[in-house]
Amino acid sequence: MTISVRKVAAAAALGAALGSALVGCGAGGGTPDAGGRARMGTSADPTAPPSASTSASPQASPRPSPSGTPQAGAPGKAPTMAPGPNGLTPVFERAKQHTDKTVALTFDADMTSDQGPRAAGGEHFDNPQLISTLRTLKVPSTIFMTGRWAEEYPDQAKSVGTDPNFEIANHSYSHHAFKSPCYGLPALDEAAARADVDRAFEAFHKAGAVNTVPYFRFPGGCYDDQALRAVSTAKVTAVQWDVVSGDAFAKDPDAVAEQVLSGVKPGSVVVMHCTRSAAPVTEEAVRKIVPELRKRGYRFVKVSELIGK
């Protein structure tokens, strides 16, 4: 694929200029040292008994039924990272194993708690064609979904959440900020932040999603130690990324594809979006990214496989 540097630079500039319009999702992250100590956690064996050095049960919100069978929507037994110092939520950005040519494509299904009227007016916060393409190309993927998105599109949430090709991770319920400032997002206090995580898992449960995992992505990627403490009792691993696709409001799928292709390394986590109105060329970009990375010897995996390495 031959794409000019000018196009890539233009895409990056566009992403920066319009990042606030997408309320920062996938546009940035916490400060470079925010929660840095929490990144020192190691993968915890999900079958091992809870201890001070490993994550406790990954059940974060809905609890097992009296029969012991996990309820639909309850986070499954996916690998997590051990808490950081003082019990801070651990943060995962890229696999430590850098020799295996694996890559995780992740897609944020964004919708804020107050965007219902826009959806009722015809704005599409979903992208069923993207999901169809991922299925056709057989690309295992992790969807970071907001609870509000699951409420707006329960049939799609159930379809994705019962498909073994996908896993659903938590992107909050309201897509409000867990750290301020964060791209102009309204901020939650510590108690409200913890409740917001639970509410999202409850929305997945109500929609009938089964393939949920105990991973959490901060809205806007914004976090600090206080935010990591706020969600620590949810027993989730915070998942960031090391490759920004630049698909937010992009017009040129080639530029998005080239930005991903130029950034991917073994063990990378790529952040993209599953929202037609905010990321209209993502599906087309994926159709360019997937065959090229496979040609380069990469294998697509879910985040859970990267964390489990």
Side-chain angles (χ1 to χ4, degrees):
M1 183 182 300
T2 303
I3 298 175
S4 69
V5 173
R6 183 177 299 175
K7 280 187 177 181
V8 177
L14 180 63
L18 295 174
S20 60
L22 194 62
V23 288
C25 187
T31 55
D33 59 346
R37 296 182 303 280
R39 298 191 188 93
M40 297 171 65
T42 56
S43 177
D45 180 356
T47 64
S51 70
S53 62
T54 59
S55 296
S57 166
Q59 300 292 344
S61 178
R63 301 299 177 188
S65 65
S67 66
T69 303
Q71 297 177 359
K77 286 190 175 181
T80 55
M81 291 171 61
N86 301 314
L88 288 181
T89 297
V91 181
F92 178 82
E93 294 176 347
R94 181 186 171 206
K96 291 182 178 180
Q97 173 54 263
H98 294 165
T99 58
D100 187 8
K101 296 186 79 170
T102 52
V103 58
L105 298 186
T106 70
F107 299 88
D108 291 356
D110 293 341
M111 190 171 181
T112 60
S113 58
D114 59 352
Q115 288 177 331
R118 288 167 56 179
E123 184 169 347
H124 293 285
F125 295 92
D126 62 340
N127 195 338
Q129 183 58 50
L130 171 61
I131 297 299
S132 177
T133 294
L134 292 171
R135 285 174 169 145
T136 298
L137 295 176
K138 295 180 172 57
V139 179
S141 307
T142 304
I143 311 298
F144 285 86
M145 188 179 293
T146 64
R148 184 64 188 87
W149 194 99
E151 288 180 348
E152 188 69 29
Y153 305 106
D155 291 343
Q156 292 186 56
K158 181 177 181 180
S159 176
V160 172
T162 54
D163 185 336
N165 199 57
F166 302 109
E167 60 188 13
I168 293 180
N170 194 315
H171 194 32
S172 82
Y173 173 82
S174 63
H175 206 273
H176 287 177
F178 285 55
K179 168 187 176 292
S180 186
C182 181
Y183 303 98
L185 289 171
L188 301 173
D189 62 27
E190 187 168 334
R194 177 64 177 86
D196 205 67
V197 175
D198 286 346
R199 191 176 179 187
F201 279 126
E202 292 287 358
F204 306 156
H205 162 61
K206 186 175 181 180
V210 176
N211 302 330
T212 58
V213 288
Y215 307 146
F216 177 74
R217 176 165 284 167
F218 288 101
C222 304
Y223 71 94
D224 54 15
D225 281 2
Q226 183 176 339
L228 294 175
R229 277 193 297 271
V231 300
S232 62
T233 55
K235 305 301 181 186
V236 294
T237 293
V239 176
Q240 295 289 94
W241 55 82
D242 67 303
V243 179
V244 177
S245 69
D247 66 340
F249 297 97
K251 304 294 186 184
D252 185 351
D254 285 347
V256 173
E258 181 60 22
Q259 188 155 317
V260 171
L261 294 171
S262 64
V264 164
K265 300 177 288 291
S268 280
V269 176
V270 181
V271 60
M272 306 183 82
H273 295 85
C274 187
T275 313
R276 270 183 286 175
S277 62
V281 302
T282 303
E283 186 271 337
E284 189 175 349
V286 164
R287 285 191 275 113
K288 299 172 185 294
I289 292 166
V290 170
E292 178 60 28
L293 284 178
R294 282 180 170 152
K295 188 186 303 182
R296 298 180 187 181
Y298 279 90
R299 179 171 63 90
F300 294 96
V301 299
K302 303 170 192 173
V303 168
S304 56
E305 184 169 335
L306 286 186
I307 291 180
K309 287 187 176 299

